[in-house]
Amino acid sequence: MTRGRVEAGVCGFKTEIEATTGEDEQTVALAINTDCDNMRRFAEKLDTVDAYAELGARFDGRVYQAARETHQGCCAGCAALVGVLKTIQVAARLALPQTATITVTNE
């Protein structure tokens, strides 16, 4: 099992992602736990994902489609959405596990 955790920022919402691959190491089952209503609606649309198809689809895959349907306005840039995709990639051995950081400041 691969786990991801995202603290999205000023909203204060946290999202925990569990991704488990089947024997094919391509089909990824997702369990997403969050205190954000948008991410809950997003999670309802994704129980399993074909990780290889997501890579090939670029921004037209199921993950981004679910994001477009559930996140609007400033929430369209939510870090948790990218966190879900990266967790899927690591679970399917398409990426290595590594901490990612987004730092935003006003200068």
Side-chain angles (χ1 to χ4, degrees), residues 64-99:
Y64 283 111
Q65 179 181 359
R68 284 190 297 274
E69 293 172 1
T70 59
H71 288 68
Q72 289 97 29
C74 63
C75 292
C78 180
L81 300 169
V82 174
V84 170
L85 192 56
K86 293 311 269 179
T87 304
I88 290 168
Q89 291 172 351
V90 172
R93 301 179 192 247
L94 297 171
L96 295 173
Q98 179 65 42
T99 299

Side-chain angles (χ1 to χ4, degrees), residues 1-3 17-31 47-52 85-95:
M1 175 188 326
T2 302
R3 294 180 188 264
I17 307 122
E18 292 182 1
T20 307
T21 55
E23 287 185 28
D24 65 0
E25 293 188 349
Q26 180 173 335
T27 304
V28 180
L30 294 171
D47 54 349
T48 61
V49 176
D50 181 324
Y52 288 40
L85 192 56
K86 293 311 269 179
T87 304
I88 290 168
Q89 291 172 351
V90 172
R93 301 179 192 247
L94 297 171

